[in-house]
């Protein structure tokens, strides 16, 4: 059973288009993180959201944490080929000392020039 | 910038061999993790450590073992490699950030192929 689901699984768009990907769960998380992973490399942390309803911006990327801290979205404005990659969300669970992370299956984004 | 290293980056080895995947971090993080990731699939936690001499098994059952004798070092060992162990192995460490949440930093991974 997937604790975290991501949609869409695959997305191919043209340069300059906008897109939104989603991360959903029936569980509440103390925080949620978004990563981008290139083929053959480890995931690179993009952002951490902690508070329900929180919105964070990273250049053309906008991240939102759901009010109930069960879901999140990532919106990219004017996508560029450099945005191509696997976008992973990860929910943190447990106490501050014993916190572990559960990952979603990812959204594979391809931005065509 | 995260300073977490994994060696080797690629390893092709025959069935039955003993292997150790190395992971080191220079950030002084207490918490370290090992994940397994098959191509196009999600990461699965196989081991974690909250500090020296602390190791726990993760969500995904694994025949591998880990040790944490030093803060900066978290090696993973397979006593007898099998083709089913073929996968990418990712090491991560984490620190407590403001807002009382941990952020993970990943190494580049080791792609293991067992023939």
């Amino acid at each position: 059973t997937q604790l975290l689901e991501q949609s869409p699984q695959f997305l191919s768009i043209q340069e300059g288009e906008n897109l939104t990907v989603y991360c959903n769960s029936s569980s509440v998380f103390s925080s949620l993180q978004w990563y981008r992973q290139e083929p053959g490399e480890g995931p690179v942390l993009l952002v951490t959201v902690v508070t329900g309803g929180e919105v964070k911006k990273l250049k053309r990327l906008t991240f939102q944490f759901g009010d109930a801290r069960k879901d999140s979205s990532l919106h990219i404005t004017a996508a560029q080929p450099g945005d191509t990659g696997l976008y992973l969300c990860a929910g943190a669970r447990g106490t501050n000392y014993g916190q572990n992370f559960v990952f979603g299956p990812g959204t594979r984004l391809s931005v065509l020039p | 910038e995260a300073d977490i290293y994994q060696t080797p980056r690629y390893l092709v080895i025959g069935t039955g061999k003993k292997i150790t995947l190395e992971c080191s971090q220079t950030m002084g993080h207490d918490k370290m993790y090992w994940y397994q990731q098959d191509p196009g699939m999600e990461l699965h936690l196989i081991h974690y450590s909250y500090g020296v001499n602390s190791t726990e098994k993760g969500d995904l059952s694994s025949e591998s073992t880990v040790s944490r004798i030093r803060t900066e070092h978290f090696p993973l060992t397979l006593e007898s490699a099998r083709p089913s162990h073929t996968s990418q192995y990712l090491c991560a460490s984490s620190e407590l950030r403001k807002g009382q949440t941990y952020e993970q930093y990943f190494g580049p991974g080791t792609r293991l192929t067992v023939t």
Side-chain angles (χ1 to χ4, degrees):
Chain A
T1 303
Q2 266 311 345
L3 271 180
L4 272 174
E5 296 181 345
Q6 290 189 245
S7 60
Q9 188 176 358
F10 299 97
L11 185 59
S12 182
I13 61 170
Q14 293 295 132
E15 181 176 3
E17 292 183 3
N18 301 332
L19 66 114
T20 302
V21 298
Y22 300 92
C23 175
N24 297 292
S25 176
S26 57
S27 302
V28 176
F29 295 103
S30 54
S31 67
L32 194 137
Q33 300 174 352
W34 284 92
Y35 296 81
R36 183 170 65 220
Q37 185 178 23
E38 305 285 345
E41 299 292 331
V44 175
L45 180 65
L46 297 175
V47 79
T48 300
V49 285
V50 178
T51 307
E54 182 177 2
V55 176
K56 279 192 175 178
K57 291 193 174 185
L58 183 66
K59 296 183 181 179
R60 294 177 293 100
L61 279 60
T62 302
F63 305 85
Q64 183 161 9
F65 202 12
D67 291 340
R69 292 187 291 138
K70 293 182 179 181
D71 52 81
S72 180
S73 64
L74 159 58
H75 181 81
I76 301 179
T77 303
Q80 298 177 1
D83 296 326
T84 294
L86 178 67
Y87 288 82
L88 296 161
C89 66
R93 52 183 182 172
T95 64
N96 287 339
Y97 179 76
Q99 206 172 76
N100 282 343
F101 301 87
V102 58
F103 280 79
T107 291
R108 190 166 297 282
L109 172 66
S110 177
V111 182
L112 306 173
Chain B
E1 189 73 23
D3 295 314
I4 181 164
Y5 309 98
Q6 290 186 245
T7 57
R9 289 293 313 274
Y10 304 93
L11 179 61
V12 180
I13 201 162
T15 298
K17 298 291 186 183
K18 178 180 178 179
I19 58 170
T20 296
L21 307 184
E22 300 289 347
C23 176
S24 295
Q25 51 98 2
T26 58
M27 298 170 284
H29 291 172
D30 286 332
K31 293 174 176 47
M32 297 188 73
Y33 312 81
W34 276 102
Y35 292 88
Q36 187 173 339
Q37 184 184 30
D38 292 326
M41 304 295 287
E42 64 265 42
L43 280 72
H44 290 288
L45 181 67
I46 52 174
H47 297 284
Y48 60 96
S49 167
Y50 290 157
V52 171
N53 294 324
S54 155
T55 61
E56 301 287 345
K57 290 189 178 293
D59 301 323
L60 182 68
S61 176
S62 174
E63 294 168 346
S64 59
T65 59
V66 293
S67 63
R68 190 87 184 275
I69 299 172
R70 304 197 315 266
T71 298
E72 62 272 22
H73 195 214
F74 191 40
L76 180 145
T77 298
L78 275 166
E79 290 293 332
S80 180
R82 296 195 278 112
S84 61
H85 296 140
T86 295
S87 189
Q88 168 141 303
Y89 292 84
L90 291 160
C91 180
S93 68
S94 68
E95 62 173 351
L96 186 63
R97 305 286 290 181
K98 61 181 179 180
Q100 297 299 305
T101 190
Y102 285 87
E103 293 185 340
Q104 288 186 108
Y105 299 93
F106 282 84
T110 293
R111 178 156 298 282
L112 173 65
T113 302
V114 184
T115 61

